[in-house]
Amino acid sequence: MESTEAKFPQNPPLKTHKLVLGAQICLRIVAIATALAATWVIVTSKQTVVVFGLQFYARYSYSSALRFFAFANAFACGFTSLSLLFVFFFGHHGLTPSNYYLLFLHDLFMMSLVLSGVAAGTAIGYIGRYGNSHAVICLMVLTIISASKARHIKV
């Protein structure tokens, strides 16, 4: 029987290496561009509404959730730019499985950060648009259910 090392070559063919490297570079550039665009749009947006003759201004900095959204995108843009430099560096010296694992961890963390920022911004937008009347009732029911289940805990 052949060993597992013989079945799986250590170094992929050069064509596959170039294809993966090209995909890494292109996707990182797209991620940088979209994060930068999201940051720019949220930071420069301003709205004015007139209520009873008084003007009220709305900016992203008035809401902690929208501030988190802006800073999460800015942070992701900056660190993805750094990871692009590492991909260029690793591309010239060869991508090893440990380098791929580090890039995987970086991408996982950036994805989680951006998704949490999007969720926070979306939640504030939804509440601003439709209100929060049902959430109070749902939270009250969830609290009652949790309290009734927690009674049975033996300490």
Side-chain angles (χ1 to χ4, degrees):
M1 283 185 118
E2 294 182 44
S3 66
T4 57
E5 289 86 20
K7 291 181 183 176
F8 301 107
Q10 292 294 331
N11 295 326
L14 186 60
K15 184 177 180 181
T16 304
H17 174 70
K18 286 186 177 183
L19 183 67
V20 168
L21 187 63
Q24 289 269 341
I25 291 170
C26 289
L27 289 173
R28 289 183 194 284
I29 289 172
V30 169
I32 291 167
T34 55
L36 184 64
T39 304
W40 185 261
V41 166
I42 198 73
V43 168
T44 59
S45 66
K46 297 176 188 170
Q47 288 187 351
T48 306
V49 67
V50 178
V51 178
F52 300 119
L54 298 172
Q55 282 189 337
F56 293 99
Y57 299 100
R59 301 196 69 210
Y60 84 98
S61 59
Y62 298 160
S63 167
S64 61
L66 293 179
R67 259 194 323 260
F68 177 69
F69 174 71
F71 288 126
N73 277 304
F75 188 77
C77 179
F79 274 90
T80 305
S81 300
L82 286 176
S83 75
L84 182 63
L85 295 176
F86 287 127
V87 167
F88 282 132
F89 178 74
F90 290 151
H92 291 299
H93 298 296
L95 282 165
T96 63
S98 63
N99 292 341
Y100 276 121
Y101 183 70
L102 291 175
L103 288 172
F104 163 73
L105 287 178
H106 172 270
D107 295 340
L108 181 68
F109 180 70
M110 290 300 117
M111 181 199 64
S112 301
L113 180 68
V114 170
L115 280 178
S116 63
V118 167
T122 303
I124 290 299
Y126 184 84
I127 289 171
R129 174 88 178 188
Y130 299 109
N132 196 13
S133 62
H134 300 292
V136 174
I137 294 169
C138 291
L139 288 173
M140 186 176 68
V141 170
L142 285 171
T143 304
I144 292 169
I145 291 172
S146 298
S148 70
K149 293 295 182 183
R151 287 185 322 170
H152 304 291
I153 295 175
K154 294 179 183 177
V155 180

